[in-house]
Amino acid sequence: MKPTNITPTSGSILISEPALKDKYFDRAVVLLADHSEEGSFGLIINKPLDVKFNDIVKGFPDFDAKVYLGGPVNTKNLFFIHKRGDFIRNSQPIKEGLYWGGEIDDVKSLIHLGEISNRDIRFYIGYSGWTENQLDEELKEFSWLVGQPNLMELIEKPANRMWKDSVASLGDDYKFWVNFPNDPSLN
């Protein structure tokens, strides 16, 4: 198997190899929100939790949004990606039209006014992080492949299809990954 020749950048996705045995990253798709020489920050985008936004965030208007597991780091904090950088101050651009973070009071106002929907924003508990050169080492070990998705689809795509669809986007060299058993020892 040959690795993808895509270098990770902000807006890339990391697609875990199918035999990666890690409770957080098993068949995970991670959106890199920030990637530099100092390290990387990302969010697992395909692991919904059995909790709703208003179950964990108090004092907000009703908002029918799922919450996802963003990663194993800082799991007491809420993170978010969104398409509303024009209205959410201090948003950090990932790529054109997609942002992470910003003023939570602006999110609250947009929810109250009905100016934002769950097609515009996704919420995450925790994040995924790599120190300087750590991600490069994991890429050399083939723990991850790098993809360049249609970022606007990431917020709207069903989580249960995201890993398989991301693998399929890599081409025929990785087609067998989709059918790789969850536990090869049982095969």
Side-chain angles (χ1 to χ4, degrees), residues 66-137:
K66 292 181 182 179
V67 177
Y68 295 77
L69 173 66
V73 183
N74 215 352
T75 57
K76 300 236 185 261
N77 287 329
L78 184 72
F79 299 87
F80 54 98
I81 61 173
H82 58 89
K83 298 178 185 177
R84 302 305 304 265
D86 52 342
F87 290 105
I88 301 173
R89 292 170 292 150
N90 297 319
S91 298
Q92 300 299 310
I94 297 172
K95 290 264 182 169
E96 187 176 336
L98 188 66
Y99 305 85
W100 68 272
E103 297 295 327
I104 196 70
D105 286 337
D106 293 345
V107 174
K108 185 176 186 177
S109 293
L110 290 170
I111 292 171
H112 179 74
L113 295 170
E115 295 290 323
I116 196 167
S117 75
N118 58 12
R119 295 183 67 170
D120 297 316
I121 192 166
R122 275 201 182 174
F123 298 95
Y124 301 87
I125 296 292
Y127 72 90
S128 302
W130 292 265
T131 59
E132 180 182 357
N133 297 320
Q134 183 182 5
L135 181 56
D136 292 332
E137 291 302 314

Side-chain angles (χ1 to χ4, degrees), residues 29 35 42 46 57 68-69 120 175 183:
V29 177
H35 177 72
N46 66 322
V57 180
Y68 295 77
L69 173 66
D120 297 316
K175 193 185 280 187
D183 186 349

